[in-house]
Amino acid sequence: MRAVETVMKYYVQYGKDTAKCAADYLKNGAGKGGTHRKIKKIAVYYPVMNRGGVQRVISLLLPIYSRLHYDVILITEQISDEDYEIPKWVRRFVITSERQALSDQRSFWNRYQELGSILATESVDLFLHHGVRQALFIYDVMLSKTAGVYTVAEKHQVFTQGFCDMKDLFWVHLAAFQIIDGLVVLSTAEETYWRTFGINAFYIENPMNERLKTVDCGGQKDCISWAGRLDVYSKQYFDILKVAVIVKKSHPEVRFRMFGSGSKAKIRELTKCIERYGLKDYVIFCGYETDIAQMYKNTRIQLVTSAYEGFPMVVYESKILGIPMVLYDLPYLELLKNGLGYLSVPSGDIRGIAENICRILDHPELEAALSREAKVSLQDFSNETVARKWSLLFHNIEKHILREDGINEQYGMILKTMHRHYAVAQRKYEKLLWDSEQSVLTYHVRKEMKKGKKPVICPYGTVGKRVKRMLNEKGIQEAYIVDNGISQKGQGILSLADLKEMDCGEYLFIVCCEDEDLKEWFQDQLRKTAGTESILYYDAALEGES
């Protein structure tokens, strides 16, 4: 297939340098124009369909596309028993995961052969991609455009998120969004931002979970609830414990419930913190809940501690149910612009959050007013409006109608300069961090090498490769790499089973892993074969511990 070969050619040349790849593809005009077809079938892509707001949004969008008389297929990378509801009439396809595709060229080729084949054999007219922050996003949309399929992306994040998580994809997205036929965003601010650069951006709010209007979420209203992913920086969930300490002094009768998912290590850490704060039986971690109604049952106040959001479903659903909210200021959110149904404070104002919670608990009339306001505030939101906007977007794409009314060269220059200078600061920070980590790591490794121990890196993922480079730059060569996940074992690469045949006492095993659960598993396995004294924990080494 020509499209697959084109994508493979670009990948061989640029690999993970997707900013240059997108810019080159755009410059050469590949995939631009030439598509003239009636949109009848839509292929929706996202890697997974469980445990997340994006996944819940997609499950609500599928019936809307059906009501608009589009045939829809769903493409994911896996199927789970915890997947959100998918209509029976939606045919589902599974392709090679991005993680596998990045591991070797064979898997990369397989992914795009599979994706290309689905688009061709299913006669897909429009490819809708929901994962703009994925590493292979540019290659996914390049394949679709090269195959002559209309291509749309939906961006579920706020435009400044890259500044918050140190992964600014602006230059990748600027080129990629010029390649695609349309970009769906979740706020008018985001729409203005991208249209400034000439991107064909459309604000379309998330669909409403209409079932919640008829769900009984009654019962004893004695809980302050929080829901989200256990992410320290974006969701700021440890703030809940600080808030609970203050609220408990005047309202020991209420309970805080936390719903969400996270690694076993994060859940253990949270549980220990709950006990350390003296909040056992007052703050309850309920885990991941698939029943949305159950999550809101008994909820008197919904607490939101996010540092940033795109179009949070927890805010939408709380308003549908008339649950008062207390949250940090998120002024760009469309759901909050009318100022109804919630009380807010500046981000990080723990006492302010706690005082507002107590204010609602102490004043039933305020609670009732906020509840009424929450429902009234949604009068301009409906699935009919969402359907109408999607229909207009698809019509404009068919007719090749581009929105260029927002272009502002002066404003665009200012924003581009900000991103360039942020990139300079980010490189400086990364260099300082690298030097600091490298200095501490090599100190601990050399100290053990003086005792006759040889360094072994395990596992060999993103962090393992970082460790190897740090050591090699300082003239330290690892004796082995231990990783069960490497498909082809070669010289110097071992599995955990190989260690049973070796004298592990002469080695220093450097455990380095981003995934806390996988890291813990490696630690347990190594303790059995090497003993605790032969293990160096990479993160602990950076804290100056031996």
Side-chain angles (χ1 to χ4, degrees):
M1 297 172 63
R2 184 181 68 88
V4 179
E5 292 171 352
T6 299
V7 170
M8 194 71 195
K9 181 188 74 173
Y10 275 93
Y11 184 69
V12 169
Q13 182 174 355
Y14 292 103
K16 295 180 181 179
D17 191 350
T18 49
K20 285 185 179 179
C21 176
D24 186 24
Y25 184 86
L26 183 65
K27 182 179 69 176
N28 291 328
K32 291 295 287 181
T35 303
H36 297 276
R37 62 207 302 175
K38 179 76 175 172
I39 298 174
K40 298 178 182 178
K41 180 175 282 191
I42 301 169
V44 178
Y45 165 80
Y46 199 64
V48 295
M49 279 298 293
N50 66 307
R51 293 178 178 255
V54 176
Q55 297 89 321
R56 203 183 314 172
V57 168
I58 294 172
S59 73
L60 294 172
L61 280 173
L62 296 175
I64 290 177
Y65 298 145
S66 177
R67 289 202 294 272
L68 292 172
H69 306 294
Y70 294 107
D71 190 8
V72 183
I73 64 172
L74 178 64
I75 304 172
T76 63
E77 296 175 4
Q78 65 182 58
I79 296 176
S80 165
D81 293 336
E82 295 180 333
D83 284 353
Y84 287 110
E85 183 178 353
I86 298 167
K88 293 181 180 179
W89 47 263
V90 174
R91 295 176 60 217
R92 190 166 180 178
F93 298 83
V94 178
I95 62 173
T96 298
S97 72
E98 178 178 270
R99 190 173 190 175
Q100 286 177 276
L102 288 168
S103 67
D104 61 83
Q105 284 193 10
R106 182 71 254 172
S107 297
F108 183 92
W109 176 262
N110 288 342
R111 175 186 174 89
Y112 288 99
Q113 273 196 318
E114 293 158 3
L115 182 56
S117 176
I118 293 167
L119 297 180
T121 58
E122 291 296 313
S123 300
V124 170
D125 302 301
L126 184 140
F127 180 54
L128 175 54
H129 199 298
H130 283 269
V132 303
R133 291 180 66 80
Q134 287 183 246
L136 294 179
F137 166 67
I138 182 59
Y139 294 107
D140 291 350
V141 298
M142 279 169 51
L143 178 97
S144 177
K145 285 298 297 179
T146 306
V149 176
Y150 290 125
T151 306
V152 173
E154 177 161 1
K155 189 173 183 292
H156 294 266
Q157 306 80 23
V158 65
F159 53 92
T160 50
Q161 185 166 327
F163 288 1
C164 297
D165 58 20
M166 299 298 291
K167 189 181 180 183
D168 187 14
L169 297 174
F170 172 76
W171 299 105
V172 176
H173 286 160
L174 185 60
F177 293 163
Q178 288 175 293
I179 292 169
I180 62 180
D181 298 288
L183 173 69
V184 176
V185 294
L186 297 176
S187 72
T188 52
E190 184 96 18
E191 181 184 60
T192 299
Y193 179 86
W194 288 110
R195 284 172 59 194
T196 295
F197 304 107
I199 303 300
N200 199 30
F202 293 77
Y203 160 59
I204 305 179
E205 61 268 34
N206 279 342
M208 180 181 291
N209 188 346
E210 293 180 324
R211 290 184 185 178
L212 286 181
K213 293 180 178 179
T214 59
V215 165
D216 178 16
C217 288
Q220 186 177 1
K221 296 287 186 177
D222 59 357
C223 292
I224 297 156
S225 295
W226 177 93
R229 185 178 65 258
L230 293 186
D231 185 293
V232 173
Y233 299 105
S234 65
K235 304 300 182 182
Q236 304 183 125
Y237 60 94
F238 283 117
D239 285 9
I240 299 164
L241 308 187
K242 300 172 187 176
V243 169
V245 167
I246 300 173
V247 173
K248 186 180 179 182
K249 293 175 183 177
S250 55
H251 288 279
E253 77 284 358
V254 300
R255 294 293 180 269
F256 282 72
R257 298 185 305 173
M258 297 178 64
F259 293 92
S261 59
S263 67
K264 293 178 182 176
K266 285 185 176 180
I267 294 171
R268 272 197 306 275
E269 182 184 15
L270 175 60
T271 302
K272 288 179 182 177
C273 284
I274 289 172
E275 294 178 357
R276 191 163 64 243
Y277 276 88
L279 296 171
K280 188 177 181 182
D281 299 325
Y282 191 72
V283 176
I284 300 108
F285 180 69
C286 305
Y288 174 65
E289 178 59 69
T290 56
D291 186 343
I292 302 300
Q294 188 64 32
M295 193 169 72
Y296 293 104
K297 191 172 184 178
N298 302 331
T299 299
R300 190 170 175 184
I301 299 171
Q302 188 69 35
L303 175 60
V304 180
T305 56
S306 301
Y308 50 87
E309 290 283 358
F311 197 105
M313 294 302 285
V314 67
V315 172
Y316 210 169
E317 290 160 352
S318 296
K319 287 199 166 198
I320 293 171
L321 294 167
I323 299 173
M325 283 181 291
V326 177
L327 42 74
Y328 290 141
D329 289 333
L330 297 165
Y332 49 86
L333 290 189
E334 298 297 327
L335 288 165
L336 302 180
K337 284 185 176 179
N338 51 35
L340 299 174
Y342 67 93
L343 301 176
S344 66
V345 300
S347 184
D349 185 357
I350 302 293
R351 182 158 294 278
I353 286 280
E355 288 175 351
N356 276 332
I357 288 175
C358 292
R359 187 178 156 203
I360 295 171
L361 294 174
D362 291 335
H363 297 87
E365 68 282 3
L366 172 62
E367 182 179 352
L370 289 171
S371 179
R372 287 192 301 272
E373 286 180 7
K375 292 183 177 181
V376 170
S377 71
L378 293 181
Q379 60 186 0
D380 294 328
F381 293 84
S382 70
N383 283 352
E384 287 71 26
T385 301
V386 172
R388 187 166 61 251
K389 289 182 177 181
W390 277 103
S391 181
L392 177 61
L393 170 61
F394 294 151
H395 169 79
N396 287 352
I397 287 173
E398 284 180 345
K399 301 299 182 182
H400 296 268
I401 299 172
L402 300 178
R403 300 178 65 179
E404 298 181 343
D405 52 307
I407 298 175
N408 184 321
E409 292 183 2
Q410 187 73 4
Y411 184 36
M413 179 273 293
I414 292 170
L415 291 174
K416 284 182 179 179
T417 302
M418 288 175 61
H419 281 281
R420 285 195 187 98
H421 291 178
Y422 173 78
V424 171
Q426 187 175 358
R427 286 195 297 272
K428 286 182 180 178
Y429 170 78
E430 288 172 349
K431 182 64 168 62
L432 288 171
L433 185 64
W434 178 274
D435 290 344
S436 174
E437 290 185 8
Q438 187 178 48
S439 176
V440 176
L441 175 67
T442 53
Y443 166 77
H444 285 285
V445 172
R446 282 188 170 132
K447 187 169 72 172
E448 295 301 313
M449 289 176 70
K450 288 177 181 178
K451 301 175 185 177
K453 294 192 174 183
K454 305 169 189 174
V456 175
I457 297 170
C458 55
Y460 194 53
T462 302
V463 181
K465 290 172 183 174
R466 180 181 178 87
V467 166
K468 175 179 168 60
R469 187 178 153 209
M470 282 184 175
L471 295 177
N472 292 171
E473 280 185 0
K474 293 297 184 179
I476 301 172
Q477 183 63 44
E478 73 280 358
Y480 296 106
I481 291 169
V482 176
D483 195 330
N484 286 3
I486 298 178
S487 58
Q488 292 183 341
K489 295 289 185 293
Q491 187 175 4
I493 301 175
L494 306 175
S495 70
L496 282 166
D498 295 328
L499 299 183
K500 296 177 182 178
E501 311 298 324
M502 299 168 53
D503 177 10
C504 295
E506 61 179 295
Y507 297 104
L508 172 68
F509 294 90
I510 307 169
V511 178
C512 38
C513 185
E514 286 180 306
D515 187 310
E516 291 295 331
D517 293 335
L518 181 58
K519 178 179 175 181
E520 185 178 275
W521 181 80
F522 260 95
Q523 291 171 349
D524 290 341
Q525 298 300 312
L526 287 171
R527 286 192 191 107
K528 296 174 186 176
T529 55
T532 306
E533 66 280 357
S534 295
I535 301 175
L536 174 70
Y537 304 109
Y538 174 59
D539 52 352
L542 297 182
E543 295 168 6
E545 300 175 9
S546 59

